[in-house]
Amino acid sequence: MNIHTKAVHAGDRKRQPGTPIPVTTPIHTAASFFYDSMESIDKVFAQEMPGYAYSRYDNPTNAALEELVSSLESAHGTLATASGMSALQIAITAALIDRRKHVLAANALYGATVKLLQQVFEPFGTTNTFVDICDLDAVAKAIEAEKPGVILMESISNPLLRIGQIDKIAELARAAGACLIVDNTFATPALIRPLELGAHISLSSATKYLSGHGDVIGGLVCCDEEHFEPVRALSRIYGPILGPFECYLTMRGIKTFPLRFERQNRNAIAVAHHLSSHSKVENVYFPGLPSHPDQSTTARLLPPDNFGAMVSFEIAGADKRAVFQFFDKLKMIVPATSLGDVHTMALYPAIASHRDIPPKQRARLGIRDNLVRVSVGIEGIEDILADLDQAL
Ligand SMILES: *Cc1c(COP(=O)(O)O)cnc(C)c1O
């Protein structure tokens, strides 16, 4: 089924005998549920009968969102979590439980993900290796040398928007018995469905494109059959579930997500091309430009003429002060953390997402001090370009 169709139908309108069918799933606030007989409760607790017992385990509003997202991501099952970070924590933990405690991670990852690996997992005995995930030979060598339990990558990396060969890495992971976890926040299931490419777990920050209106913090862990039960079982103990109100908001957001994202993708192409020919701009990083290093992977894995809606660029010769001036001059574009919202947003990686990475390491990763990251919104394109122009 088309993603636009799934977005407005999947998960909703559950039939219950004798009751009217709500057109959208209500917010179920009950913390616990009971049944007409103790026998039924017993069966629900034993997971022999489908049903709800306690909202940390499961809740009808959460279940509706989870069914919707499973449909978008081609997942066996999905867990909605309190944030993208809790999605990462629970996915990595579940995958490592019965595997070697070593994570092979992409060297370009969301800042807090690196902290999670180094400041939380490492002290508990997990070791990490970081690799250029777009260098398939290097990935193969690292798998051979390190025998990782988990391979962790982002489908489109932040902030330089590199695209790794998920399908090939999945083959290597499977041959080595490792679990491939893909953070699909930037690409979204509209562009890439990692599970269809052989990944075991695809997770997202629902805070970003899927909710899309800057009013939810949430995460989604989309699993294949092997990993869904361990993730769900761990969630019952850890309890990092998304509240029913946020589930409702996320589901509401997803209904227009494919529509919004189409326009954001189109606007991003225009922004990238405009900036490429701008005299004040040094380099533009965007998977749709001929200068992008992952052309062939992009052509292979992404639908034609869709490259996501993130554009990064370097302001020619700018130091930190000049970059600050650019941000202070923006009139419409919102200079806030986060991405994927309906409004265009700009972020300065050196002081925000990549602040805690030492300058030398940042430089090695190609993240220069004149780099700006833009999350392109759904506004009229002429207004986005005009604001960028007057601030440059
Ligand atoms: C924002 C983000 C996260 C973390 O998500 P939260 O909802 O803020 O916890 C993880 N990965 C990527 C790629 C992100 O952009």
Side-chain angles (χ1 to χ4, degrees):
M1 217 182 261
N2 184 294
I3 188 168
H4 293 268
T5 314
K6 287 180 179 177
V8 296
H9 285 290
D12 263 331
R13 293 175 283 284
K14 296 288 171 209
R15 285 167 167 75
Q16 275 179 3
T19 58
I21 304 158
V23 295
T24 58
T25 303
I27 303 167
H28 292 270
T29 55
S32 56
F33 304 84
F34 66 97
Y35 297 81
D36 285 339
S37 72
M38 285 304 284
E39 203 167 319
S40 301
I41 295 180
D42 189 35
K43 283 192 177 139
V44 170
F45 272 129
Q47 295 176 47
E48 287 163 6
M49 189 175 100
Y52 303 98
Y54 189 53
S55 280
R56 194 181 73 234
Y57 298 168
D58 219 345
N59 170 289
T61 313
N62 295 43
L65 168 66
E66 289 164 353
E67 187 178 323
L68 167 61
V69 175
S70 286
S71 150
L72 299 184
E73 287 268 2
S74 300
H76 174 79
T78 295
L79 172 75
T81 60
S83 67
M85 288 315 300
S86 64
L88 275 151
Q89 187 215 5
I90 203 158
I92 296 168
T93 308
L96 281 180
I97 274 182
D98 56 0
R99 287 190 175 91
R100 190 173 126 67
K101 308 290 180 274
H102 186 92
V103 178
L104 178 65
N107 58 9
L109 285 175
Y110 183 70
T113 307
V114 178
K115 278 197 198 169
L116 175 69
L117 292 175
Q118 295 182 330
Q119 296 176 20
V120 181
F121 280 99
E122 259 184 38
F124 280 93
T126 298
T127 49
N128 305 300
T129 309
F130 294 90
V131 66
D132 176 357
I133 209 77
C134 292
D135 180 346
L136 205 59
D137 285 340
V139 174
K141 283 203 185 96
I143 291 175
E144 175 119 3
E146 309 290 348
K147 313 235 173 321
V150 161
I151 300 171
L152 177 64
M153 64 183 287
E154 293 173 3
S155 51
I156 300 182
S157 79
N158 177 26
L160 297 179
L161 313 177
R162 298 292 308 269
I163 299 178
Q165 305 192 56
I166 297 173
D167 53 347
K168 305 257 167 79
I169 296 166
E171 271 176 37
L172 295 172
R174 281 171 188 272
C179 173
L180 175 60
I181 301 176
V182 179
D183 181 335
N184 201 27
T185 303
F186 275 38
T188 83
L191 296 192
I192 296 180
R193 288 167 299 281
L195 295 167
E196 289 179 5
L197 300 174
H200 300 84
I201 297 177
S202 166
L203 54 84
S204 299
S205 166
T207 313
K208 316 293 169 54
Y209 288 105
L210 297 176
S211 293
H213 296 75
D215 52 7
V216 179
I217 297 281
L220 296 155
V221 189
C222 308
C223 305
D224 66 0
E225 194 168 357
E226 179 192 349
H227 292 86
F228 181 58
E229 268 320 306
V231 162
R232 176 66 80 187
L234 205 57
S235 163
R236 286 170 164 241
I237 301 168
Y238 265 163
I241 55 147
L242 189 59
F245 180 63
E246 283 76 15
C247 284
Y248 156 78
L249 275 180
T250 304
M251 205 165 177
R252 190 182 215 277
I254 288 175
K255 288 182 185 179
T256 55
F257 149 69
L259 210 54
R260 285 184 272 114
F261 199 57
E262 249 177 33
R263 182 171 171 101
Q264 284 169 309
N265 275 248
R266 251 196 341 269
N267 277 352
I269 292 172
V271 167
H273 282 99
H274 182 78
L275 291 173
S276 296
S277 57
H278 200 291
S279 61
K280 299 268 180 63
V281 172
E282 233 172 83
N283 283 306
V284 181
Y285 300 88
F286 182 67
L289 290 177
S291 56
H292 192 274
D294 306 316
Q295 288 289 294
S296 63
T297 308
T298 305
R300 222 160 52 70
L301 299 186
L302 270 62
D305 301 323
N306 282 271
F307 307 102
M310 302 297 296
V311 181
S312 296
F313 65 97
E314 290 163 355
I315 304 177
D319 57 8
K320 191 168 156 183
R321 237 192 55 208
V323 175
F324 275 20
Q325 269 169 13
F326 163 79
F327 275 86
D328 287 340
K329 275 190 185 162
L330 290 171
K331 289 189 175 132
M332 178 195 79
I333 295 171
V334 184
T337 301
S338 198
L339 59 112
D341 289 342
V342 282
H343 45 263
T344 300
M345 305 173 90
L347 172 133
Y348 185 18
I351 68 147
S353 57
H354 293 71
R355 185 186 188 97
D356 296 327
I357 299 176
K360 265 197 187 144
Q361 194 187 340
R362 229 173 26 227
R364 254 202 321 276
L365 293 172
I367 302 164
R368 297 171 59 190
D369 282 351
N370 59 348
L371 184 78
V372 173
R373 189 195 82 185
V374 176
S375 161
V376 181
I378 64 170
E379 302 98 329
I381 184 63
E382 67 278 20
D383 296 320
I384 301 172
L385 299 183
D387 199 24
L388 288 169
D389 282 351
Q390 67 78 27
L392 282 165

